[in-house]
């Protein structure tokens, strides 16, 4: 999920009562909820599609979820001591307990991969032990309704506390609504997978129910047909049956690219990351790789990789 959602989840957990456990509890929860995204620094040394195969991996796995919160807790504890030595420590701050700082940092960090799992991009929970992607297909990566719920609850709770009231029921109610909203969306996705997006045969060979932005209870139905074509319920192009649409671009037969990927780090990363790879024909007749989850015929450069040395071969039974 986006970092605003992660931060708001950390904040609402604090307002639900956890911030009373120790001084600097809110920074531990909010920063902790964003800790796994330190892997974004990979943009400084990785190029092109290489970051796709690196993100949501090593910093989202068990060792990182133990070590990163420990570092954060140590920094917060040291900051509190540094302020105290210089007479700058706020008088209203309660005693800082390192054990609680670590526990809250860990809880915040743990919420991060759980939320990341809920969209179609996926997460690798068991890195570095197993490089296996897991997908929840439950929420869009930016869910405006979660934003609205969490922003209102955090602001309302803050205002309630400032006026001398109890903010905990507000935060706990928001958490309950959030969990119910997630459960509802998970159920919608589960139901979509029961019939693979269609009501009669032939069923697609592979099917993905992708949550949509704003209309969060809807699902984009993405499918791989028996002839190798990838189709979607939202793409522009010719009708492929059962409400699916075929891309207006020519799709290519996807060859075995394992040999080329050994010498091409961009290709290796793309294939490792891609859940629904398919190819289209470039103007020069070569192959361009895409992923059906993030394909938009109007923005073909997005999440794509050109392979100028690989010829686009037509799919069998393709009308193109």
């Amino acid at each position: 999920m986006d970092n605003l959602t992660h931060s708001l989840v950390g904040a609402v957990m604090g307002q639900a009562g956890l911030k009373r456990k120790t001084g600097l509890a809110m920074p531990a929860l909010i920063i902790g909820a964003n800790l796994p995204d330190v892997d974004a620094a990979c943009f400084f040394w990785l190029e092109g599609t290489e970051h796709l195969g690196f993100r949501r991996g090593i910093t989202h796995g068990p060792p990182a979820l133990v070590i990163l919160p420990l570092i954060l807790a140590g920094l917060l504890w040291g900051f509190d001591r540094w302020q105290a030595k210089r007479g700058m420590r706020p008088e209203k701050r309660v005693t800082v307990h390192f054990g609680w700082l670590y526990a809250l940092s860990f809880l915040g960090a743990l919420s991060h991969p759980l939320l990341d799992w809920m969209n179609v991009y996926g997460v690798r929970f068991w890195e570095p032990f197993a490089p296996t992607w897991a997908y929840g297909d439950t929420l869009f990566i930016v869910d405006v309704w979660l934003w609205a719920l969490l922003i209102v609850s955090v602001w309302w709770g803050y205002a309630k506390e400032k006026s001398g009231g109890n903010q905990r029921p507000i935060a706990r109610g928001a958490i309950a609504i959030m969990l119910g909203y997630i459960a509802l969306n998970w159920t919608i996705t589960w139901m979509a997978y029961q019939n693979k997006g269609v009501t009669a045969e032939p069923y697609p060979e592979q099917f993905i129910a992708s949550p949509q932005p704003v209309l969060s209870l809807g699902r984009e139905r993405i499918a791989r047909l028996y002839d190798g074509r990838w189709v979607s319920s939202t793409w522009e192009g010719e009708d492929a049956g059962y409400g699916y649409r075929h891309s207006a671009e020519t799709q290519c037969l996807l060859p075995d690219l394992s040999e080329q990927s050994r010498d091409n780090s961009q290709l290796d990363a793309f294939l490792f990351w891609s859940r629904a790879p398919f190819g289209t024909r470039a103007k020069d007749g070569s192959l361009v790789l895409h992923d059906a989850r993030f394909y938009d015929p109007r923005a073909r450069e997005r999440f794509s990789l050109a392979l100028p040395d690989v010829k686009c071969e037509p799919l069998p039974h393709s009308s193109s």
Side-chain angles (χ1 to χ4, degrees), residues 23-292:
L24 298 179
M26 288 296 274
L29 285 162
I30 295 172
I31 299 174
N34 287 279
L35 273 179
D37 274 348
V38 297
D39 62 0
C42 73
F43 286 99
F44 289 110
W45 73 83
L46 296 180
E47 299 179 356
T49 60
E50 291 176 339
H51 71 277
L52 295 174
F54 183 83
R55 296 294 310 274
R56 297 199 180 187
I58 188 68
T59 62
H60 292 59
L65 294 181
V66 172
I67 296 171
L68 291 176
L70 186 62
I71 295 172
L72 175 60
L75 290 173
L76 292 174
W77 185 84
F79 176 71
D80 181 72
R81 294 296 180 270
W82 179 82
Q83 284 189 314
K85 288 182 179 179
R86 286 159 178 75
M88 300 166 56
R89 189 180 190 279
E91 294 182 2
K92 292 184 179 181
R93 182 186 297 162
V94 300
T95 302
V96 171
H97 296 283
F98 182 82
W100 270 113
L101 274 182
Y102 177 63
L104 298 182
S105 299
F106 174 79
L107 184 61
L110 183 62
S111 72
H112 187 109
L114 293 177
L115 285 170
D116 279 357
W117 169 79
M118 291 181 188
N119 51 67
V120 295
Y121 194 105
V123 66
R124 302 194 302 280
F125 283 119
W126 302 111
E127 284 276 16
F129 308 114
T132 305
W133 288 93
Y135 312 95
D137 301 343
T138 300
L139 300 176
F140 189 68
I141 193 168
V142 177
D143 192 301
V144 295
W145 305 112
L146 273 186
W147 276 7
L149 170 66
L150 295 172
I151 289 172
V152 168
S153 65
V154 169
W155 173 82
W156 187 12
Y158 176 77
K160 189 80 170 179
E161 185 181 38
K162 291 290 285 185
S163 64
N166 184 3
Q167 66 180 344
R168 283 175 289 180
I170 297 172
R172 292 171 182 175
I175 292 173
I177 295 172
M178 178 180 69
L179 293 176
Y181 175 75
I182 291 172
L184 173 61
N185 272 277
W186 182 88
T187 301
I188 291 171
T189 294
W190 179 82
M191 292 176 65
Y193 276 110
Q194 296 312 295
N195 58 16
K196 296 187 177 182
V198 298
T199 56
E201 294 184 353
Y203 295 118
E205 290 190 350
Q206 188 175 342
F207 175 74
I208 299 172
S210 179
Q212 295 186 339
V214 185
L215 302 175
S216 58
L217 301 184
R219 295 293 180 270
E220 176 188 4
R221 297 177 300 114
I222 304 170
R224 183 178 184 271
L225 303 184
Y226 69 94
D227 61 2
R229 283 183 302 165
W230 278 95
V231 293
S232 166
S233 58
T234 61
W235 294 354
E236 299 175 354
E238 64 182 78
D239 184 8
Y242 298 117
Y244 289 113
R245 285 193 161 294
H246 179 278
S247 167
E249 295 181 276
T250 301
Q251 290 194 29
C252 308
L253 180 67
L254 196 62
D256 182 1
L257 297 168
S258 55
E259 190 68 31
Q260 291 96 319
S261 67
R262 294 175 185 173
D263 301 317
N264 186 335
S265 60
Q266 302 285 329
L267 176 58
D268 185 57
F270 188 94
L271 294 176
F272 172 66
W273 161 79
S274 183
R275 180 181 178 186
F278 74 98
T280 61
R281 184 189 301 273
K283 291 181 179 179
D284 63 358
S286 63
L287 182 69
V288 180
L289 281 179
H290 306 273
D291 188 290

Side-chain angles (χ1 to χ4, degrees), residues 302-317:
R302 205 161 158 257
F303 295 102
S304 66
L305 177 65
L307 298 175
D309 297 329
V310 181
K311 183 181 178 181
C312 172
E313 300 288 350
L315 283 166
H317 310 295

